[in-house]
């Protein structure tokens, strides 16, 4: 799909189809007579009223409902545009013009992301992969920042699609070693420094928690460290940390088989962190960013770690393993400690599909946001608003008592009935974190179980946009309509 910005008048642009965004209650003026007539007819018949999420097409014009103008923010345009994709497909349009002329300039960026997100399918293993017709997208916008918004949309979207693609790889392909190879390949293209610690190096350095999780699998763990030095030498590091369980069977505390296949997505946090790193150079981010992602496979076997085991960790703290299915926090404990002791970052954020409890609390609506530094949390909340990757704040500190160990320093589960499981998991991480740490539990957001009009089934790439928005020094600020 090729994208270009054009500053011509929308209705004069030549295209097979047009995307016409409309607010609720917007007067039907300034439109060609035929379109105006179609629109008021659709309104009369209550087929299209401009409500958020509505899509209605008449004669190759696709009306997109954006809701009330005062409630609209630019990130909503991502899903709105994505939702039009299936209509464009049905129409067989090879080219489409999108009217961004009356919307905030960031909508150029979100239109690109929405259409590319909607077009993506994971079909690497399919013999027949029919090609979609849409080849050319013309974004009509006169704003002087439109070309840079387009560039940004393409760079962010590249990162999201890379993340979805690598995360969609199944457990038999995407072993920890495979993931480390993908990270290396990506690092070469994205001008990043990369180091991979294999099981020998991990043993030598004392990554006991990460190694314990992986010890039941024939595919040993890997730790990937990526550096991007976009700031000045004096600038401190910002650290991104990711949970990369390439398959989570639960280990000896084995999971029910029902949805176990979905646990190939238990590497989503790591994939999102890697994906965000892949775009830093293209986006010219002015910061020094280090990423540490821990990959392991959690399997039951004669060599697995067991419930009741007391293990050590890189930090020296001992951990009582009450449930081998609470493995994410163990690999993160070592990754968090490593990045702190090696880089002394000013801020740390980790992304993880950490708890089923977070899905129960926040569904597929929000990721859980936890942390110990109000300023950093506020920055991430602002990044969430700017990027559309939705987060909701949940408490941590009040739950620290619940993860105190009986026979070791800490234990890896909280309340025996699983009460506040997302918060007790975060409280565990906090024991290994520094003073400015945030944790994003993306368990409910990382994959789709059924196709949505704007996103196919599988990995969503959640978190990439959030991290990039948090790292960008000068994101295009205004998200309100002109
Ligand atoms: N990877 C899972 C969390 C998960 C579950 C993510 C379902 C997405 C959907 C994690 O490793 C896990 O199994 N957590 C346990 C913790 C419990 C044993 C304390 C959980 O959430 O049940
Ligand atoms: Zn688990
Ligand atoms: Zn897990």
């Amino acid at each position: 799909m090729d994208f270009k910005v054009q500053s011509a008048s929308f209705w004069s642009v030549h295209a097979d189809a047009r995307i016409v965004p409309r607010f609720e209650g917007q007067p039907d003026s300034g439109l060609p007579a035929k379109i105006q007539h179609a629109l008021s007819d659709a309104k009369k018949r209550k087929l299209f009223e401009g409500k958020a999420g509505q899509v209605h097409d008449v004669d190759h014009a696709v009306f997109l409902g954006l809701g009330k103008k005062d409630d609209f923010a630019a990130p909503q345009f991502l899903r709105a545009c994505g939702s039009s994709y299936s209509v464009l497909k049905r129409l067989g349009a090879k080219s489409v013009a999108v009217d961004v002329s009356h919307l905030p300039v960031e909508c150029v960026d979100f239109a690109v992301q929405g259409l590319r997100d909607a077009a993506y399918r994971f079909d690497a293993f399919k013999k027949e992969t029919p090609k979609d017709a849409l080849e050319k997208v013309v974004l009509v916008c006169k704003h002087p920042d439109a070309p840079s918004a387009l560039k940004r949309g393409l760079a962010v979207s590249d990162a999201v699609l890379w993340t979805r693609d690598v995360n969609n790889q199944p457990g038999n392909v995407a072993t920890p070693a495979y993931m480390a190879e993908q990270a290396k390949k990506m690092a070469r293209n994205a001008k990043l420094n990369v180091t991979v610690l294999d099981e020998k190096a991990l043993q030598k350095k004392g990554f006991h928690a990460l190694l314990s999780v992986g010890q039941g699998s024939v595919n040993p763990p890997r730790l990937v460290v990526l550096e991007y030095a976009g700031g000045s030498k004096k600038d401190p590091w910002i650290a991104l940390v990711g949970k990369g369980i390439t398959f989570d069977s639960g280990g000896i505390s084995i999971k029910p088989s029902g949805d176990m296949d979905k646990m190939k997505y238990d590497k989503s946090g790591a994939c999102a962190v890697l994906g965000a790193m892949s775009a830093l150079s293209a986006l010219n981010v002015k910061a020094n960013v280090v990423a540490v992602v821990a990959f392991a496979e959690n399997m039951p076997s004669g060599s697995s770690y067991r419930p009741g085991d007391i293990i050590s960790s890189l930090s020296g703290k001992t951990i009582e393993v009450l449930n081998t299915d609470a493995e994410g926090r163990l690999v993160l404990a070592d990754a968090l400690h490593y990045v702190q002791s090696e880089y002394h970052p000013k801020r740390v954020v980790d992304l993880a599909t950490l708890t089923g409890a977070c899905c129960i609390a926040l569904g597929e609506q929000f990721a859980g946001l936890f942390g110990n530094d109000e300023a950093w949390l506020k920055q991430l909340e602002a990044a969430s608003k700017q990027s559309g990757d939705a987060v909701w704040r949940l408490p941590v500190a009040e739950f620290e008592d619940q993860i105190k160990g009986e026979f070791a320093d800490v234990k890896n589960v909280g309340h025996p009935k699983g009460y506040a499981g997302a918060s007790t998991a975060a409280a565990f991480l906090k024991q290994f974190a520094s003073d400015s740490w945030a944790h994003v539990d993306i368990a409910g957001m990382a994959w789709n179980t059924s196709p949505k009009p704007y996103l196919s089934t599988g990995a969503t790439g959640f978190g990439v946009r959030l991290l990039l928005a948090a790292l960008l020094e000068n994101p295009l600020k205004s998200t309100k309509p002109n």
Side-chain angles (χ1 to χ4, degrees):
M1 223 188 288
D2 272 339
F3 291 85
K4 73 169 182 195
V5 166
Q6 222 167 291
S7 58
S9 111
F10 177 66
W11 295 99
S12 71
V13 172
H14 179 80
D16 294 346
R18 335 182 153 263
I19 295 182
V20 188
R22 306 294 296 171
F23 292 110
E24 212 175 325
Q26 186 175 349
D28 300 340
S29 53
L31 298 167
K34 211 166 107 187
I35 299 290
Q36 196 166 319
H37 182 260
L39 197 57
S40 38
D41 183 55
K43 234 186 239 173
K44 250 182 249 149
R45 293 162 48 199
K46 296 213 179 309
L47 292 171
F48 181 85
E49 294 146 307
K51 291 199 169 119
Q54 279 186 329
V55 181
H56 180 71
D57 64 299
V58 179
D59 206 13
H60 290 73
V62 186
F63 300 112
L64 284 191
L66 300 183
K68 298 213 167 74
K69 191 171 179 177
D70 286 346
D71 298 340
F72 177 76
Q76 284 163 251
F77 205 53
L78 192 156
R79 284 187 182 178
C81 279
S83 299
S84 73
Y85 189 79
S86 57
V87 179
L88 298 174
K89 223 165 131 169
R90 167 164 53 73
L91 296 174
K94 279 193 177 164
S95 59
V96 65
V98 187
D99 189 3
V100 199
S101 44
H102 306 291
L103 297 174
V105 65
E106 297 86 345
C107 287
V108 168
D109 169 344
F110 288 113
V112 174
Q113 296 195 50
L115 287 170
R116 290 184 86 198
D117 243 359
Y120 170 84
R121 304 257 168 311
F122 179 59
D123 52 16
F125 292 89
K126 285 196 166 175
K127 273 211 185 63
E128 276 169 41
T129 54
K131 227 177 137 264
D132 293 352
L134 188 60
E135 284 169 2
K136 209 175 115 194
V137 180
V138 181
L139 302 146
V140 179
C141 182
K142 291 191 171 66
H143 197 288
D145 289 342
S148 63
L150 164 61
K151 227 171 123 194
R152 186 171 149 187
L154 289 170
V156 176
S157 167
D158 280 347
V160 172
L161 296 185
W162 183 90
T163 302
R164 291 175 69 188
D165 224 25
V166 75
N167 197 12
N168 277 325
Q169 293 291 340
N172 60 326
V173 173
T175 60
Y178 171 94
M179 291 304 299
E181 278 312 307
Q182 298 311 303
K184 272 190 187 168
K185 227 195 258 176
M186 177 277 282
R188 270 197 296 275
N189 295 330
K191 302 190 191 87
L192 307 170
N193 246 334
V194 57
T195 316
V196 175
L197 304 187
D198 63 10
E199 68 269 41
K200 275 200 196 106
L202 293 170
Q203 249 146 22
K204 210 166 141 199
K205 289 188 189 288
F207 282 76
H208 304 295
L210 172 58
L211 288 163
S212 294
V213 170
Q215 76 189 34
S217 169
V218 293
N219 302 308
R222 294 285 184 273
L223 190 95
V224 179
V225 183
L226 295 169
E227 292 172 359
Y228 168 81
S232 78
K233 281 226 166 74
K234 286 179 290 173
D235 289 345
W237 290 99
I238 298 173
L240 315 181
V241 174
K243 168 180 172 180
I245 300 298
T246 58
F247 183 68
D248 182 12
S249 69
I252 298 296
S253 315
I254 198 159
K255 286 181 179 295
S257 52
D259 257 343
M260 207 198 268
D261 60 298
K262 305 300 180 302
M263 285 297 113
K264 69 172 182 170
Y265 302 118
D266 211 20
K267 56 186 182 302
S268 301
C271 292
V273 164
L274 294 177
M277 292 299 289
S278 77
L280 297 182
S281 161
L283 290 168
N284 198 18
V285 167
K286 299 273 181 240
N288 297 328
V289 188
V290 55
V292 174
V293 289
F295 290 107
E297 189 180 33
N298 188 20
M299 293 294 258
S301 79
S303 61
S304 297
Y305 75 141
R306 315 154 191 78
D309 280 3
I310 294 173
I311 62 174
S312 187
S313 64
L314 186 65
S315 72
K317 283 191 181 154
T318 56
I319 306 166
E320 207 176 330
V321 177
L322 296 185
N323 191 317
T324 62
D325 197 11
E327 83 300 332
R329 61 198 77 182
L330 301 178
V331 308
L332 287 174
D334 278 355
L336 286 167
H337 183 82
Y338 183 74
V339 81
Q340 273 139 211
S341 59
E342 293 289 315
Y343 292 86
H344 308 286
K346 185 159 176 245
R347 302 214 186 290
V348 180
V349 57
D350 76 72
L351 262 66
T353 47
L354 203 63
T355 66
C358 195
C359 311
I360 305 285
L362 303 173
E364 295 175 340
Q365 235 57 42
F366 299 97
L369 175 66
F370 308 78
N372 58 6
D373 174 5
E374 195 51 38
W376 183 212
L377 289 167
K378 286 229 167 80
Q379 203 174 323
L380 287 164
E381 280 174 330
S384 164
K385 289 255 152 38
Q386 242 163 46
S387 67
D389 273 356
V391 301
W392 196 270
R393 198 90 81 87
L394 291 172
V396 195
E398 294 79 357
F399 296 88
E400 285 184 81
D401 280 351
Q402 296 194 28
I403 47 95
K404 290 216 165 95
E406 189 77 43
F407 305 115
D409 298 329
V410 286
K411 57 183 183 184
N412 79 334
V413 291
H415 193 284
K417 287 191 175 166
Y419 292 173
S423 287
T424 53
F428 179 94
L429 297 181
K430 187 167 176 279
Q431 311 312 307
F432 300 87
S434 60
D435 293 340
S436 184
W437 154 81
H439 156 60
V440 190
D441 192 334
I442 62 171
M445 309 301 285
W447 68 89
N448 250 344
T449 45
S450 55
K452 305 227 161 75
Y454 50 87
L455 213 61
S456 57
T457 306
T460 61
F462 184 93
V464 175
R465 285 183 255 269
L466 175 73
L467 292 176
L468 289 175
L471 292 170
L472 273 165
E473 206 177 30
N474 291 314
L476 305 156
K477 277 262 166 2
S478 142
T479 58
K480 290 281 165 202
N482 302 323

